[in-house]
C-alpha cells in the first residue's frame, strides 16, 4: 500500500512540475523571445500529457506524447546551438524527428498486429525518446560550455540523467514482465 501511495504522489508531483515548467518557459519565451524556451516549454506540456495519460491508462497517447517530448527537447537544444552560432550541419534539425518516426513505425506495427509486446510498443519509443534527451544533454554540456559555463554543465548533466532514466527504467519493467512470464 505504501508503494502505491508513494508512486501516485510522485506522479502528481511530476504532473504539477511539468505544468509549472511549461508556464515558466512560456513566460521566458514571451519576455525574452528565445525560441528554445518555447520548444522546451511545449516539451514540458507534452510531458504533462504523457504523465496524465499514464495515470488514466491511455497508452497510445502516453507513448506518442513522450516521443514528441523527446523530439521537442532535442529540437530546442539544436535551436539553442543555432542561436549561439554553433551549427553542426545545415540539416541537423531533421535528427530531432527520429523519436517521432520510430514511435509512429512501432505504433503502426502494433495497430496492424505485428507486435503486441510491451517492450516494443512502449519500451522502444521511450528508449528512443530518452536517447534524444541524452543527446541534447551531451550537446549542451559539450558545445555550450564556454558560453554558459556552469549552467550549461548542470543542464547538460540533468538532460543526460533524465534521458538515461527514460531509457532504462522501462527496460527494467520489461525484464520483470519477461521473467514473470517464464515462471
Amino acid at each position: 500500500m505504501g508503494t502505491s501511495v508513494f508512486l501516485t504522489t510522485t506522479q502528481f508531483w511530476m504532473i504539477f512540475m511539468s505544468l509549472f515548467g511549461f508556464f515558466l518557459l512560456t513566460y521566458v519565451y514571451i519576455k525574452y523571445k528565445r525560441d528554445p524556451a518555447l520548444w522546451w516549454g511545449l516539451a514540458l506540456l507534452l510531458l504533462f500529457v504523457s504523465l496524465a495519460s499514464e495515470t488514466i491508462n491511455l497508452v497510445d497517447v502516453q507513448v506518442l506524447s513522450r516521443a514528441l517530448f523527446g523530439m521537442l527537447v532535442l529540437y530546442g537544444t539544436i535551436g539553442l546551438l543555432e542561436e549561439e552560432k554553433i551549427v553542426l550541419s545545415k540539416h541537423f534539425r531533421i535528427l530531432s524527428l527520429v523519436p517521432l518516426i520510430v514511435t509512429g513505425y512501432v505504433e503502426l506495427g502494433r495497430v496492424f498486429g505485428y507486435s503486441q509486446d510491451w517492450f516494443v510498443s512502449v519500451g522502444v519509443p521511450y528508449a528512443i525518446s530518452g536517447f534524444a534527451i541524452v543527446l541534447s544533454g551531451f550537446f549542451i554540456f559539450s558545445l555550450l560550455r564556454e558560453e554558459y559555463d556552469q549552467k550549461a554543465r548542470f543542464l547538460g548533466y540533468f538532460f543526460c540523467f533524465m534521458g538515461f532514466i527514460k531509457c532504462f527504467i522501462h527496460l527494467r519493467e520489461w525484464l520483470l514482465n519477461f521473467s514473470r512470464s517464464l515462471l
Side-chain angles (χ1 to χ4, degrees):
M1 179 67 182
T3 303
S4 86
V5 169
F6 173 74
L7 290 176
T8 304
T9 304
T10 305
Q11 190 82 355
F12 283 112
W13 178 250
M14 288 187 63
I15 287 171
F16 169 75
M17 292 307 292
S18 63
L19 269 181
F20 175 74
F22 164 70
F23 289 123
L24 180 67
L25 287 171
T26 302
Y27 170 76
V28 168
Y29 172 72
I30 291 169
K31 185 169 182 178
Y32 299 107
K33 300 297 183 216
R34 299 286 307 254
D35 285 342
L38 173 67
W39 300 121
W40 288 340
L42 290 174
L44 286 175
L45 180 64
L46 286 163
L47 180 63
F48 162 76
V49 170
S50 177
L51 292 168
S53 60
E54 186 177 359
T55 304
I56 57 176
N57 206 19
L58 294 173
V59 177
D60 293 333
V61 175
Q62 171 191 349
V63 170
L64 184 62
S65 59
R66 195 60 65 113
L68 288 168
F69 167 70
M71 180 187 87
L72 287 175
V73 168
L74 184 57
Y75 191 79
T77 300
I78 293 169
L80 181 62
L81 292 173
E82 289 175 355
E83 277 187 9
E84 296 299 330
K85 307 294 187 252
I86 301 172
V87 180
L88 301 174
S89 171
K90 192 173 172 182
H91 306 289
F92 205 69
R93 287 183 183 234
I94 295 172
L95 179 66
S96 63
L97 290 174
V98 170
L100 185 62
I101 292 168
V102 169
T103 301
Y105 178 75
V106 167
E107 284 298 305
L108 282 175
R110 189 185 63 73
V111 166
F112 290 121
Y114 291 115
S115 178
Q116 298 296 327
D117 188 23
W118 183 91
F119 178 71
V120 174
S121 63
V122 177
V124 170
Y126 266 55
I128 297 296
S129 177
F131 177 73
I133 297 168
V134 168
L135 192 60
S136 296
F138 175 74
F139 286 155
I140 288 173
F141 77 74
S142 65
L143 299 175
L144 294 174
R145 192 174 305 170
E146 279 120 37
E147 286 82 4
Y148 294 104
D149 193 34
Q150 190 68 22
K151 295 173 188 173
R153 186 173 298 141
F154 174 74
L155 184 61
Y157 288 145
F158 174 74
F159 275 163
C160 283
F161 178 71
M162 188 170 79
F164 280 125
I165 286 175
K166 299 292 179 216
C167 285
F168 295 116
I169 200 153
H170 293 289
L171 179 63
R172 182 185 70 81
E173 289 178 22
W174 179 78
L175 289 172
L176 288 173
N177 289 336
F178 181 72
S179 64
R180 287 186 198 128
S181 69
L182 293 177
L183 297 176

